[in-house]
Amino acid sequence: MAPFNFDATVFKPSYFPSSDVTFEPGRFWSTMRLGPHVFGVKLENHGDTDAPALDLCIFSVVPPDPAAAGAVADEVRWRFDLDADLTGFSTLAAGDPLLGPAVERRRGMRLNAFQSLYEFLVITVVLQNATVRRSVQMMENLFSGFGGRAAFDGRELSCFWEPARLAAAPEEELRALKVGYRAKTLLRQAAAFRGGGLDERELRCLGKDELEGRLLKVFGVGPASVGYLLFAVFHHYDAFDTVPPWEQKIYSQLLFEADLVPAATILAEVRRRWGPWRMLAAHYVFEDLFGRHRQEPIPWLGKLLRL
DNA sequence: CGGCAGGTGCGGA
DNA sequence: TCCGCACCTGCC
């Protein structure tokens, strides 16, 4: 679906770097695990924002059968939200002085979580109560302890592990990877997936409220993580019902030009301004801010980002 | 060296 | 339902 902005979709300035994905203008590489199989995925941009065209190349140790290749393609389509129709969103943005310029600069950007539900859950756990640098360190330690490496197309990237593999490890093995008290959470989550009690495909069909309830039952998932999951993994554009402490400071500046505004005030404001599009809108404003910060450092943001 | 970070589960009011 | 507290680790 047009408009589709390849570069703004595959590269999010606010995301922490991770060795399972890499990109350059017009190209994106990642590993993708589907059950026991690990694939290399390469995407190339062959169109432009108003006439999008993508080339997908799939790498594997043995040639994938058509069904497996189709499954990878379907996942790419879902994870980059390629079928999204953002017509209503564009109309909304046009009349908003904060959102408008951000959408103009990143027109056609989609949400992007190039991970499965289980994998993204691991990401939310390493984000908890940690600075960015430490999150990166924990994630990379987990890749080296439980994940693997896949070399394809002249690159070598990390890949995630199967939940069963991590679930079988003793807690000390995880603690040795410097994840601290998160070891218990990682073990319990992996065990939940090993048992097959959480089926991502099935969960995608649920409504937001029921889905949220199911996710909150997962050990280690609270209000902040569930918001990230609902938006990034399940594409609920309105999943902005909680503000984590560090984002509260950023939205206070963006929306009110103040140091710290109560969370409830921020939530009421984004509902009023952006309604059912509020998380997608916030995503645009956020990525635009971080993107501009990379080009030309924004002093107040620099102070908030503890590396 | 104590405080704190891109939260969460738990026990008690 | 709401609140206070502990929690790995590493930086400030």
Side-chain angles (χ1 to χ4, degrees), chain A residues 288-294 296-304:
Chain A
D288 180 56
L289 175 71
F290 278 72
R292 286 186 285 118
H293 180 63
R294 276 172 188 265
E296 179 87 29
I298 297 169
W300 67 261
L301 183 60
K303 277 183 225 159
L304 289 179

Side-chain angles (χ1 to χ4, degrees), chain A residues 21 27 44 52 58 64-66 72 83 101 109 119 128 130 134 145 151 172 193 195 231 267 273 282 298 301:
Chain A
V21 295
R27 294 200 277 181
E44 283 183 298
I58 301 168
D65 60 66
V72 172
D83 294 327
M109 179 181 79
E119 293 160 0
Q128 291 169 15
R134 199 155 132 58
E172 308 82 70
F193 276 84
F231 178 66
L267 291 173
R273 288 178 85 122
I298 297 169
L301 183 60

